[in-house]
Amino acid sequence: MEIDPFIFRLSIFILSIFVGYYVVWSVTPSLHTPLMSVTNAISSVIIVGAIIAALSSDDGVVFSSSSVYGFLAIVLAAVNIFGGFLVTQRMLAMYKKKKKDK
Amino acid sequence: MSANLSATIYLISGVLFILALRGLSSPETSRQGNLFGIIGMIIAISVTFLSVDNFTSGFIYVLIFLAIGGSIGAFIAYRIPMTAMPELVAGFHSLVGLAAVFVAISAFINPEAFNLGTPGNIKLASLIEMTIGAAVGAITFSGSVIAFLKLQGIMSGAPITFKGQHILNALILLSIIVLIFYLCSTQSSNLFWILIAVSFLIGFLIIIPIGGADMPVVISMLNSYSGWAAAGIGFTLENTALIITGALVGSSGAILSYIMCKGMNRSFFNVILGGFGGTEQSSGNKNIEQRPVKSGNADDAAFLMKNASSVIIVPGYGMAVAQAQHALREMVDTLKKNDIKVTYAIHPVAGRMPGHMNVLLAEANVPYDEVFELEEINNDFVNADVAFVIGANDVTNPVAKTDPQSPIYGMPVLDVEKCKSVLFVKRSLSPGYAGIDNELFYKENTLMLFADAKKMTEEITKNLD
């Protein structure tokens, strides 16, 4: 009997939860705020679904009832992607070690 | 591009996202980690573009909308002050939630585009995944909006409670499950819209009873929800990158919520059921007795610190409110010039989100190797001469260790009272968030400095010279 592809996706999902568990515990507490902003940015990979949704209408029609939601989702996810990664970068750039020549 | 190839590449971007989080284990590797995350995102978006077969005019619109959102995001990222980071993160969570809802709606209206079947006849598994993604996304959205309004001060940070609140919430949650069940058996679009509306409502109701200082838990929890919503949509779209990311973010948020709850010695349910601080406040005020406190001015504080050999600084949310982090760094610089050893002690729940204080200190150019977590530094208070408490309150209250009747009993606190002398910057004697008096105020070795945190710090610096 063939295995349902859903089972494979479920396996990836469960294993990723465990990977996430161990990776996040190793994050230093002082970087918890950047952790939140970067997880925010990467969860916006949902834009992949938004792009498919935006291009879902039939030929010749750009804005259909289903594609409009896709376009809206693209804008929201894009705000998050750019905002999330850039603000994380801005924060991380501020974490400096003690200057030795002082 | 073949489906197998694109699936493989999505997997690569998923791995890059794991590396992005891995990088945050230390500040040195964190910047590289962020780069991995950006590359992962570029790969994921490019693959999606390449797997689109027909390049219609809609494609141009996709790029336009991407650019619009991107510029808004970049603008916000560069302009936002570091003190507003909790609001920003809450706001961003709401966007992820809403995006998940929109993608689910689009997939429900036009399932053919996603290979999920035809309208009214969507594959059962996909429909379940889609509705769960939409419901969790909607809860994330409305919950984050409330958290944002509370953090921004547009809405009062005080918990909003009413009679029968918990029963109402439980009924609504139950109705969501029933709705999903009926939706999946009838494929009715009316039920789909009702489900989304009800989910928006419950997200709103869950967050309103939670008070301002519990926001670290709330933000972490919503972070987790946004991940689960993304994972739900990932299952619908059969997209590995999205499934991996959803799982990562979901578990990340859950761990942060756990750490925050532990920092307050409260169970997750205790926080979520909310209302903390509201009821205790009235009972705490019953025994108002004017106990003597010693108060001093900037001159006294400067004198104490000048004669100290080591000083520990305990920042809290008040420092963020007063924007005192730069003034504080200047004061510390002056102290260091006088060969006084200065370190910073950060409580896990100081501020309004995990790591809030660390970011503010980093912004003020405080080197991160001078900043310590509670467990690392708590034994050092005994040997320190001066503890300088600026904007923190409940996290220093010795009552948490001594009085089993206290609402904060058992919460890990900084052993500030063990210092030779304590300088406590505060605007008034009013109790902190937990609504209880801080025993520290009345200790023999405590000197209260009643003033705005920033002004006081600046004055001390002047007096140090």
Side-chain angles (χ1 to χ4, degrees):
Chain A
M1 206 181 110
E2 216 178 327
I3 298 171
D4 193 321
F6 171 78
I7 301 300
F8 290 117
R9 286 190 283 277
L10 188 67
S11 318
I12 295 173
F13 179 64
I14 302 290
L15 292 176
S16 301
I17 292 178
F18 279 89
V19 171
Y21 179 84
Y22 288 105
V23 168
V24 171
W25 270 117
S26 74
V27 171
T28 169
S30 66
L31 292 176
H32 276 162
T33 299
L35 171 68
M36 299 203 90
S37 61
V38 87
T39 48
N40 222 312
I42 63 171
S43 59
S44 305
V45 74
I46 202 161
I47 197 168
V48 166
I51 294 170
I52 299 173
L55 297 174
S56 63
S57 40
D58 299 324
D59 292 325
V61 192
V62 177
F63 296 103
S64 68
S65 58
S66 68
S67 76
V68 166
Y69 287 107
F71 283 115
L72 288 173
I74 288 178
V75 175
L76 298 177
V79 171
N80 245 327
I81 292 171
F82 281 76
F85 280 124
L86 289 174
V87 89
T88 310
Q89 200 169 35
R90 214 182 117 199
M91 273 191 270
L92 293 176
M94 298 184 310
Y95 282 82
K96 291 184 202 90
K97 258 195 162 161
K98 213 180 300 187
K99 277 193 206 108
K100 275 168 193 148
D101 52 349
K102 228 186 177 181
Chain B
M1 193 183 276
S2 83
N4 283 335
L5 182 61
S6 54
T8 314
I9 300 176
Y10 279 132
L11 185 63
I12 294 172
S13 73
V15 171
L16 284 166
F17 291 151
I18 296 174
L19 293 175
L21 299 193
R22 183 77 188 92
L24 290 169
S25 57
S26 95
E28 287 106 84
T29 55
S30 61
R31 284 170 277 259
Q32 192 196 24
N34 199 37
L35 195 64
F36 282 140
I38 295 172
I39 296 170
M41 187 61 74
I42 293 172
I43 290 177
I45 294 175
S46 314
V47 173
T48 314
F49 281 154
L50 291 175
S51 45
V52 174
D53 314 313
N54 49 339
F55 283 87
T56 54
S57 52
F59 194 78
I60 298 157
Y61 284 95
V62 168
L63 293 177
I64 293 173
F65 282 99
L66 188 68
I68 294 172
S71 2
I72 299 171
F75 179 77
I76 297 172
Y78 280 111
R79 293 296 296 274
I80 193 92
M82 285 297 144
T83 40
M85 211 44 77
E87 293 94 300
L88 180 75
V89 169
F92 277 175
H93 285 156
S94 72
L95 300 184
V96 179
L98 197 57
V101 174
F102 284 161
V103 173
I105 292 175
S106 181
F108 188 81
I109 297 176
N110 188 358
E112 282 132 322
F114 297 84
N115 287 325
L116 304 175
T118 51
N121 194 14
I122 301 171
K123 278 186 282 179
L124 181 64
S126 309
L127 192 60
I128 297 172
E129 293 152 3
M130 192 191 297
T131 46
I132 293 176
V136 179
I139 295 172
T140 312
F141 171 71
S142 55
S144 301
V145 167
I146 300 300
F148 175 82
L149 294 177
K150 284 196 173 204
L151 287 163
Q152 188 77 293
I154 298 171
M155 200 172 144
S156 154
I160 298 168
T161 49
F162 53 87
K163 230 179 163 187
Q165 192 166 29
H166 299 324
I167 298 165
L168 179 70
N169 289 354
L171 283 175
I172 293 176
L173 282 174
L174 198 71
S175 75
I176 286 179
I177 296 167
V178 174
L179 272 171
I180 291 179
F181 181 79
Y182 276 106
L183 176 58
C184 292
S185 54
T186 63
Q187 306 245 356
S188 145
S189 58
N190 285 339
L191 285 178
F192 184 74
W193 294 110
I194 295 172
L195 174 75
I196 290 177
V198 172
S199 305
F200 277 132
L201 181 69
I202 189 69
F204 168 78
L205 287 172
I206 285 177
I207 307 301
I208 53 166
I210 306 180
D214 283 341
M215 280 302 148
V217 182
V218 171
I219 296 187
S220 313
M221 184 184 85
L222 292 167
N223 186 235
S224 182
Y225 285 2
S226 70
W228 304 130
I233 302 297
F235 274 104
T236 319
L237 304 180
E238 309 185 343
N239 183 307
T240 11
L242 205 40
I243 294 175
I244 294 176
T245 316
L248 288 177
V249 178
S251 55
S252 163
I255 291 172
L256 289 175
S257 321
Y258 171 78
I259 296 175
M260 293 303 114
C261 287
K262 231 179 145 219
M264 296 191 287
N265 188 39
R266 291 170 57 203
S267 74
F268 184 69
F269 285 104
N270 183 295
V271 176
I272 293 313
L273 293 178
F276 190 72
T279 45
E280 274 87 359
Q281 218 143 15
S282 50
S283 64
N285 284 349
K286 262 183 261 166
N287 48 349
I288 303 173
E289 42 170 326
Q290 290 293 325
R291 285 196 281 171
V293 294
K294 280 198 287 184
S295 73
N297 56 29
D299 199 21
D300 305 326
F303 177 79
L304 265 171
M305 284 204 257
K306 232 178 198 170
N307 291 305
S309 61
S310 67
V311 174
I312 299 178
I313 301 199
V314 182
Y317 182 58
M319 180 188 82
V321 175
Q323 304 258 18
Q325 66 271 32
H326 297 280
L328 182 68
R329 213 272 337 280
E330 276 163 36
M331 185 189 89
V332 170
D333 283 349
T334 323
L335 289 173
K336 279 192 200 153
K337 262 184 234 155
N338 293 317
D339 281 327
I340 298 163
K341 188 183 164 237
V342 186
T343 45
Y344 299 81
I346 312 247
H347 191 277
V349 295
R352 285 290 184 265
M353 74 183 291
H356 191 188
M357 290 299 118
N358 303 77
V359 170
L360 293 183
L361 292 177
E363 188 202 9
N365 278 322
V366 172
Y368 61 81
D369 38 7
E370 288 176 10
V371 182
F372 296 94
E373 303 300 316
L374 176 104
E375 307 91 61
E376 297 173 310
I377 201 167
N378 226 5
N379 294 327
D380 296 353
F381 281 105
V382 185
N383 303 318
D385 297 307
V386 176
F388 186 73
V389 183
I390 174 165
N393 187 356
D394 290 333
V395 297
T396 62
N397 197 339
V399 157
K401 289 176 285 191
T402 53
D403 180 10
Q405 302 299 316
S406 167
I408 61 165
Y409 180 70
M411 166 171 150
V413 286
L414 291 157
D415 295 335
V416 174
E417 79 281 359
K418 289 183 181 160
C419 262
K420 288 201 188 75
S421 40
V422 178
L423 295 169
F424 209 113
V425 187
K426 207 171 178 312
R427 267 181 300 202
S428 71
L429 263 186
S430 64
Y433 169 69
I436 45 164
D437 228 3
N438 193 340
E439 277 303 310
L440 198 59
F441 298 161
Y442 312 104
K443 291 257 175 190
E444 192 59 28
N445 56 352
T446 304
L447 188 68
M448 300 297 295
L449 306 167
F450 293 113
D452 173 74
K454 191 178 173 188
K455 271 191 202 125
M456 177 52 77
T457 317
E458 282 165 352
E459 266 178 59
I460 295 174
T461 314
K462 264 183 229 156
N463 280 299
L464 280 170
D465 288 327

